[in-house]
């Protein structure tokens, strides 16, 4: 039976995330206390028709700080990545391991080269097929909450997308299974993870509503697309003591944490308001 905890302390403001250029812009000198204040928590709003993301063309940064070549060299990108991790810490991500892997995994390798200079903004960015890579903050948040449940031996991700979160998970967990329903995204993610030398992530083309029973039970299940309800098959594949994180809802979504305390008991906690692409059914070949 599901229990509800008072989520008030965790509630943050909804954010339509219809801009590609800016996320919650972290301010310098934000204290830990401030960092716990309501903040937008958005992830991977669909880019394209419907919830159209209008990306105003950005002019070059004043002073030419983002000169082409400068901003996209590996060294410059590594610098931006380190700064992104530092800002995530200021924004309330306290898990050092999560911050470490966020500072390590090259997010720019998971998106189009033309967007590389924007890879370390706290923004959802297009990855093709009408999908987006989730915002770094929400990725870090989900990883940190998953890890609060203890060691991650086996983890399932629903919604591989470009494979970024799977690459992070592979550094934090023993074995990762990640399911994607769109063939083109799945195949690109397979290539990327191979190129990056990730060996402990199995990428599956399939409908994640069914999970992947062969790899379970899982210590954590992370769902990167929002359904109206959490797919029951996923609950069945969660290990006792395990944690499932999923956005739930339609036009208004909430990140939901499910902790399995025994075979029959699941505890439900509602976290931030978020905005993810929809969880769909079937496989798109
Ligand atoms: N984890 C990704 C997020 C990608 S966006 C990242 O690191 O950025 C969410 C992804 O979920 C999309 O690629 C979408 O195609 C996929 N998705 C939606 N419904 C799904 C389903 N039923 N099974 C598997 N993947 C699904």
């Amino acid at each position: 039976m599901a229990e509800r905890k008072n989520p008030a302390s965790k509630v943050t403001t909804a954010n339509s995330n219809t801009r590609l250029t800016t996320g919650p812009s972290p301010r310098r000198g934000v204290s830990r206390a401030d960092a716990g204040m309501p903040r937008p928590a958005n992830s991977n709003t669909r880019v394209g028709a419907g919830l159209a993301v209008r990306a105003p063309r950005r002019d070059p940064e004043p002073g030419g700080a983002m000169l082409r070549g400068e901003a996209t060299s590996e060294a410059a990108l590594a610098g931006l990545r380190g700064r992104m991790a530092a800002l995530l810490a200021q924004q309330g991500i306290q898990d050092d391991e999560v911050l470490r892997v966020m500072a390590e995994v090259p997010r720019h390798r998971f998106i189009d080269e033309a967007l590389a200079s924007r890879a370390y903004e706290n923004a959802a960015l297009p990855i093709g097929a009408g999908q987006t890579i989730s915002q770094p903050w929400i990725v870090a948040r989900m990883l940190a909450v998953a890890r609060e449940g203890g060691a991650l031996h086996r983890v399932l991700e629903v919604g591989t997308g470009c494979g970024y979160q799977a690459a992070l998970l592979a550094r934090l967990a023993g074995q990762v299974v990640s399911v994607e329903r769109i063939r083109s995204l799945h195949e690109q993610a397979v290539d990327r993870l191979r190129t990056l030398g990730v060996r402990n992530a199995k990428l599956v083309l399939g409908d994640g509503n069914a999970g992947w029973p062969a790899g379970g039970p899982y210590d954590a299940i992370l769902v990167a697309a929002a359904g109206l309800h959490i797919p029951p098959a996923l609950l069945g594949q969660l290990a006792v003591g395990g944690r499932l994180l999923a956005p739930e809802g339609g036009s208004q979504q909430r990140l939901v944490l499910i902790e399995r305390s025994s075979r029959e008991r699941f505890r439900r906690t509602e976290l931030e308001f978020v905005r993810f692409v929809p969880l769909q059914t079937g496989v798109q070949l």
Side-chain angles (χ1 to χ4, degrees):
M1 235 229 293
E3 294 169 28
R4 258 164 213 264
K5 270 199 343 193
N6 178 3
S9 62
K10 302 281 191 180
V11 173
T12 62
T13 53
N15 175 358
S16 66
N17 187 29
T18 49
R19 289 170 300 166
L20 272 177
T21 47
T22 55
S25 60
R27 267 166 251 126
R28 267 175 199 285
V30 175
S31 70
R32 283 277 161 130
D34 290 342
M37 293 299 285
R39 73 177 75 78
N42 248 323
S43 50
N44 58 11
T45 301
R46 182 208 296 270
V47 179
L51 288 166
V53 175
R54 311 219 185 288
R57 282 200 83 78
R58 284 206 331 174
D59 294 328
E61 301 267 302
M66 297 287 278
L67 285 177
R68 189 177 292 277
E70 192 184 329
T72 55
S73 76
E74 287 295 320
L77 291 166
L80 294 175
R81 189 159 62 244
R83 200 174 69 174
M84 175 189 79
L87 292 172
L88 290 171
Q90 289 182 1
Q91 291 179 313
I93 305 298
Q94 293 177 355
D95 183 327
D96 288 338
E97 278 292 283
V98 170
L99 294 171
R100 182 177 63 78
V101 298
M102 299 288 297
E104 285 173 1
V105 173
R107 190 171 185 257
H108 65 279
R109 299 272 199 93
F110 291 85
I111 56 177
D112 194 281
E113 243 176 273
L115 293 170
S117 65
R118 297 182 47 205
Y120 300 104
E121 295 173 9
N122 190 33
L125 295 168
I127 55 172
Q131 307 299 318
T132 54
I133 183 173
S134 302
Q135 282 187 296
W137 189 86
I138 197 71
V139 171
R141 169 77 168 140
M142 289 174 76
L143 295 172
V145 175
R147 274 171 46 81
E148 281 168 19
L152 301 177
H153 302 293
R154 283 190 290 256
V155 174
L156 173 68
E157 178 188 34
V158 173
T160 313
C162 61
Y164 173 63
Q165 183 171 268
L168 293 163
L169 281 169
R171 291 182 179 231
L172 296 170
Q175 280 294 326
V176 178
V177 175
S178 180
V179 186
E180 171 58 53
R181 63 177 289 278
I182 300 178
R183 180 185 285 277
S184 59
L185 294 178
H186 162 76
E187 287 176 349
Q188 278 177 25
V190 167
D191 281 350
R192 287 197 183 101
L193 293 190
R194 190 182 295 132
T195 305
L196 291 173
V198 176
R199 290 161 189 267
N200 59 334
K202 176 182 174 59
L203 303 192
V204 175
L205 177 64
D207 182 347
N209 284 290
W212 187 255
Y218 299 99
D219 302 307
I221 300 179
L222 273 60
V223 184
L228 294 180
H229 304 290
I230 291 165
L234 300 185
L235 297 176
Q237 290 166 35
L238 193 58
V240 171
R243 295 184 149 210
L244 179 150
L245 281 151
E248 197 186 62
S251 57
Q252 198 184 66
Q253 302 170 5
R254 227 32 208 273
L255 182 62
V256 173
L257 165 65
I258 306 282
E259 294 165 274
R260 185 170 198 171
S261 46
S262 70
R263 262 194 75 75
E264 289 81 27
R265 287 181 66 84
F266 295 86
R267 187 168 75 160
R268 175 188 165 97
T269 309
E270 295 186 351
L271 305 176
E272 291 84 7
F273 285 103
V274 288
R275 181 161 289 203
F276 279 76
V277 295
L279 183 70
Q280 286 164 333
T281 51
V283 174
Q284 186 177 310
L285 297 175

